[in-house]
Amino acid sequence: MFELLKTDPSSNARLGRLTTAHGVVDTPVFMSVGTQGSVKAIDPRELRELGTQIILGNTYHLNIRPGLEIIRAAGGLHRFINWPLPILTDSGGFQVFSLATIRKIQPHGVQFRSHLDGSLLFLGPKEAMEIQRILGSDIAMVFDDCPPHTSTPREFRAAVDRTMRWAAECREQPRAEGQMVFGIVQGGVNKELREECAKALIALKFDGYAIGGVSVGEPEPEMMRAVELTEPFLPADRPRYAMGLGTPAQMVELVARGVDMFDCVLPTRVARNGTAFTRKGSISIKAGAWKSDFGPIDTTCDCFACKNFTRAYLRHLLNVGEILGLRMLSVHNTRMFVKVMEEIRAAIANGTFAEFRKEFVANYVPTQKVLLARAAAAER
Ligand SMILES: [Zn+2]
């Protein structure tokens, strides 16, 4: 199911190919997030044009709305949303622990109140796998305990214990035909906990392994450390997935640390605030600096927005609240993330990843202020 095609001599970067029930995914890959059954503001035809190979759906949200019976009647999630390519579903663990009001953590799951209407619900390994089976995703995730990064050592310990126990329960549940199941390693930035959790999951022989407990509000060095503490224990012949990460520069650095799969809401979420990703970092398209800038968002980008519209026009659309503006920024940002992955794969294949990494990270300035200053100096 996963073929490791090439490894980079200068780092832990890997080139791979993951074969799923709905097609092949080239790794490293960026997966667009379609939490509610839609990658916000982008239709499936556009997603395919952007080079999207796989999208995410979410157990917690889809189970609440529209509800499982509707999706079952539609013939599964692929048919319901008309997306023929691979889908990965998150188990809902992250949402239960971050969105919902927890009533009680029980041995076989969590009783919680819906963030929407306060109704009392229960989700555990059995329920999460059953929902994902009916959704019919190509990759299902185990139900884990994802504590905030500010948790005490005792809380991290308890979360790892639950995660290991629940992973074993998930492993025993029936799956959809051809469905893969990934384990999730927790343990914060505690070396022993990460090792223990990884080893316990690997003994259960999952189809892939995720590094969880990142993207929970921790500072970047802590996030990198969580990955570095986990990666050495993960088997080379299975894909590794860093959940909920990151910016383009962070993804390049995480690929260098041996990660194959990424998902992040950033491209579409910040698009709705008027922020665009460029090779040099993120910029606010609403800024006055672009008022009469008739160049594209990014000169190196091949997306529909960059080929057809100027910064000045997109800025205008955003400032007057036209939907097209945020649609085009969503298209552009998604293409940027997908394209960075295409370039990473090409660089690993050509043996030039070390140079690519150095140049990309050096050029990428993640703050608007610095970037505006650079753009003013470099482009005018
Ligand atoms: Zn573009």
Side-chain angles (χ1 to χ4, degrees):
M1 279 179 283
F2 181 72
E3 291 167 80
L4 187 58
L5 302 175
K6 197 169 177 184
T7 51
D8 172 51
S10 73
S11 70
N12 290 329
R14 298 138 48 94
L15 189 69
R17 184 186 293 141
L18 179 65
T19 303
T20 78
H22 286 85
V24 171
V25 175
D26 301 307
T27 64
V29 65
F30 174 72
M31 307 185 281
S32 288
V33 181
T35 307
Q36 310 268 14
S38 162
V39 177
K40 290 192 196 307
I42 310 181
D43 72 45
R45 182 201 50 172
E46 289 169 320
L47 280 175
R48 293 180 74 171
E49 283 171 8
L50 296 171
T52 305
Q53 303 182 71
I54 173 170
I55 66 169
L56 250 73
N58 190 275
T59 290
Y60 174 93
H61 290 286
L62 294 170
N63 185 44
I64 293 179
R65 287 186 311 193
L68 220 46
E69 288 320 307
I70 304 281
I71 295 176
R72 193 206 302 263
L77 187 58
H78 288 87
R79 286 202 186 161
F80 184 55
I81 69 173
N82 196 19
W83 173 255
L85 302 185
I87 297 177
L88 179 149
T89 44
D90 195 2
S91 66
F94 183 81
Q95 285 72 29
V96 165
F97 285 95
S98 61
L99 271 185
T101 314
I102 293 178
R103 290 270 302 169
K104 203 171 180 194
I105 300 178
Q106 298 175 354
H108 298 287
V110 184
Q111 194 184 54
F112 62 96
R113 290 207 177 271
S114 154
H115 72 290
L116 271 184
D117 59 7
S119 59
L120 199 58
L121 301 166
F122 185 87
L123 200 58
K126 193 163 175 278
E127 294 75 16
M129 295 311 288
E130 168 74 358
I131 296 166
Q132 294 181 89
R133 186 176 68 77
I134 292 165
L135 294 174
S137 55
D138 299 276
I139 302 169
M141 301 302 298
V142 298
F143 187 79
D144 62 329
D145 183 338
C146 184
H149 80 105
T150 49
S151 303
T152 64
R154 185 192 289 262
E155 286 166 336
F156 276 120
R157 172 79 256 173
V160 164
D161 286 340
R162 258 181 232 117
T163 293
M164 294 188 297
R165 202 172 65 240
W166 289 348
E169 271 189 68
C170 287
R171 190 72 183 77
E172 298 309 310
Q173 306 304 316
R175 308 172 175 194
E177 202 183 328
Q179 189 173 48
M180 289 183 252
V181 179
F182 283 17
I184 305 176
V185 181
Q186 291 289 347
V189 285
N190 182 306
K191 191 171 180 290
E192 287 72 32
L193 285 183
R194 284 275 170 190
E195 178 175 353
E196 184 186 340
C197 194
K199 285 181 172 169
L201 295 180
I202 290 154
L204 293 167
K205 295 196 188 309
F206 285 102
D207 301 304
Y209 297 91
I211 300 165
V214 286
S215 194
V216 289
E218 77 284 7
E220 184 178 299
E222 227 174 88
M223 175 252 282
M224 293 292 174
R225 185 151 165 75
V227 172
E228 288 162 4
L229 289 177
T230 311
E231 187 273 337
F233 303 107
L234 302 179
D237 61 352
R238 293 286 182 275
R240 297 93 172 260
Y241 164 27
M243 302 184 81
L245 298 174
T247 65
Q250 286 172 345
M251 291 193 302
V252 172
E253 282 303 312
L254 290 164
V255 165
R257 286 163 173 78
V259 177
D260 307 306
M261 301 168 72
F262 300 90
D263 78 286
C264 192
V265 294
L266 269 182
T268 47
R269 180 171 291 168
V270 304
R272 301 196 295 279
N273 305 325
T275 300
F277 286 96
T278 77
R279 304 291 298 219
K280 297 172 183 172
S282 51
I283 58 169
S284 172
I285 288 293
K286 289 179 176 177
W290 319 125
K291 197 155 76 179
S292 56
D293 185 322
F294 301 109
I297 303 170
D298 190 304
T299 50
T300 67
C301 182
D302 56 5
C303 83
F304 183 85
C306 287
K307 282 195 290 194
N308 291 280
F309 300 127
T310 62
R311 286 183 176 188
Y313 177 57
L314 293 167
R315 173 179 181 272
H316 162 71
L317 291 178
L318 290 162
N319 281 339
V320 295
E322 283 290 342
I323 292 169
L324 182 63
L326 60 89
R327 280 220 337 100
M328 287 300 105
L329 246 56
S330 300
V331 162
H332 165 78
N333 284 348
T334 299
R335 178 59 191 150
M336 279 297 293
F337 276 57
V338 168
K339 194 160 181 281
V340 168
M341 288 297 150
E342 289 173 359
E343 290 171 13
I344 287 173
R345 292 197 298 269
I348 301 172
N350 299 334
T352 54
F353 180 73
E355 293 93 305
F356 174 86
R357 174 188 183 186
K358 203 172 155 201
E359 201 188 323
F360 191 96
V361 174
N363 282 332
Y364 194 89
V365 181
T367 62
Q368 288 179 25
K369 219 173 183 178
V370 179
L371 190 91
L372 283 170
R374 276 173 69 109
E379 289 179 3
R380 272 144 223 276

